Amino acid sequence: MAREQPVFLTDDVVARFLRYDELIPRLEEVLGKFSLSDSTEVVQPVRFVVPINKHNGYLGLMPAYITHEDTLCTKMVAFYRREGNFTLPSAQATVLLFNPEYGNVKAVMDGSDITHKRTAAVSAISAKLLMPAQSDILCILGCGQQAVSHYEILTQLFSFKEVNNSKVRVCSRRLETAERFAVNVKGPVKIFSSAEEAVRGADLIITVTNSNEPVLFGEWVKPGAHVAAVGACRPDWRELDDVLMRDAVIYVDSKEGAAVESGDIILSGAEVFAELGEVLNGTRPALRNKTTVFKSLGMGIQDAVAAKLVFDKWKSSQ
C-alpha cells in the first residue's frame, strides 16, 4: 500500500459538512451501543488527562474505536482556566481520524466545531428524552461558544414560548460576554444579571460555565425541570449544588467517566440513575415527571462519529 497523506480540514470546512440533523441520529446510535452491557462494538477508555499546572491547564486525550463501522479516532483537547479578557478560547481541540487497518492518519481536523456541535447535540438528546412535555422557557448559564451551539440546536429542535417577555434567558458572569452572545445568536434573548432570576421558572436549564463552584442551586429550580450540566469536567469542579444533586434524578453519558471526572457527582455523593444510552435502549426509564439532571462530560465516541461524518462527506465532495 502506498503511503497515504493525511488531509487537514479547517474549522470552516468541518462546519460546512457537520449538520445537526445528520449528527443526532448517529450519536443516539453510538450512545446506545456504548451502554449495552455485552457490547463489543465500542471501545473507549476514560479520558486521559495531563495537568499543565504551570499554565493552569490540562491536556485531555480521548481515543475511541467503533468496531461495527471500523472508525478509529482520537481527540486531543487543551483546556484552561483563564482569568481576565483573553481572546483565546478556554478549550482548543484537534481530532485525528485513522485508517484502522494500517494505523495511518487519514485526516487531521480542527476540533472546535466538532466539540461544540456534538456536545450541544447530546444535550439536545437529553432534553428530548427528559425535559417536561410542556417546556416553555430555556435558560442558559454561561455565554461562551458552547452556549451559542446549545442555543442554536435547542431553538431549532424545540418551540419555546414567550413568557414575561422572554422565552430564552441567559446569564453570564460578565455582562459584556452576555451582550456579545445576544448579538451572535439569531433570535431574541433576555439577559439577566442574576442567575437566580434567570433560572426561576425555567423548564430547561443549560449550564455551560468554567466555574469550579456551584452556579446553580436546587432551591431555584422548578420541580420537574431538566438540567443539562456541561461544565465542571474535573473531579474538584462544581456547577450544581448538593441540594439539586440530592433531589434530582441523575443521568450521565458514561458512569465510568462520571465516577472519576465529575465533581458534581463525586463531591455531592449523588447516585447515578442511568446512562443516556440506557434510556435510548429502553433498559432504563426517562423520568420526565421528575426533576432531572444530565451530567455531560463528553466522550471520544461522540467525536469519532462526528469526524467520520465530516470526512465521508468531504471525500464524496472531492
Side-chain angles (χ1 to χ4, degrees), residues 36 51 120 126 151 211 234 239 256 290 294:
L36 291 172
S126 82
Y151 178 96
S211 180
R234 298 295 299 144
E239 282 191 313
E256 186 181 13
K290 304 285 188 180
F294 169 58

Side-chain angles (χ1 to χ4, degrees), residues 120-236:
V122 174
S123 293
I125 293 168
S126 82
K128 182 171 69 171
L129 296 171
L130 299 170
M131 76 178 185
Q134 180 64 44
S135 291
D136 296 330
I137 299 175
L138 166 65
C139 174
I140 303 175
L141 300 183
C143 289
Q145 185 54 51
Q146 277 287 8
V148 173
S149 58
H150 277 75
Y151 178 96
E152 289 174 348
I153 183 60
L154 293 171
T155 56
Q156 177 181 320
L157 289 182
F158 309 113
S159 297
F160 300 101
K161 295 182 180 178
E162 194 87 18
V163 177
N164 296 327
N165 299 318
S166 68
K167 58 183 177 180
V168 180
R169 307 171 178 179
V170 299
C171 182
S172 178
R173 185 173 55 180
R174 287 190 285 270
L175 177 60
E176 61 268 25
T177 306
E179 291 174 338
R180 184 167 59 247
F181 169 89
V183 170
N184 288 337
V185 300
K186 297 177 181 177
V189 300
K190 185 172 182 178
I191 298 172
F192 286 75
S193 59
S194 162
E196 179 179 357
E197 291 179 10
V199 165
R200 285 197 181 274
D203 302 289
L204 175 58
I205 304 164
I206 310 295
T207 59
V208 280
T209 75
N210 63 359
S211 180
N212 59 2
E213 296 179 350
V215 297
L216 179 62
F217 295 83
E219 66 180 86
W220 304 346
V221 177
K222 175 182 176 179
H226 175 57
V227 177
V230 177
C233 59
R234 298 295 299 144
D236 56 346

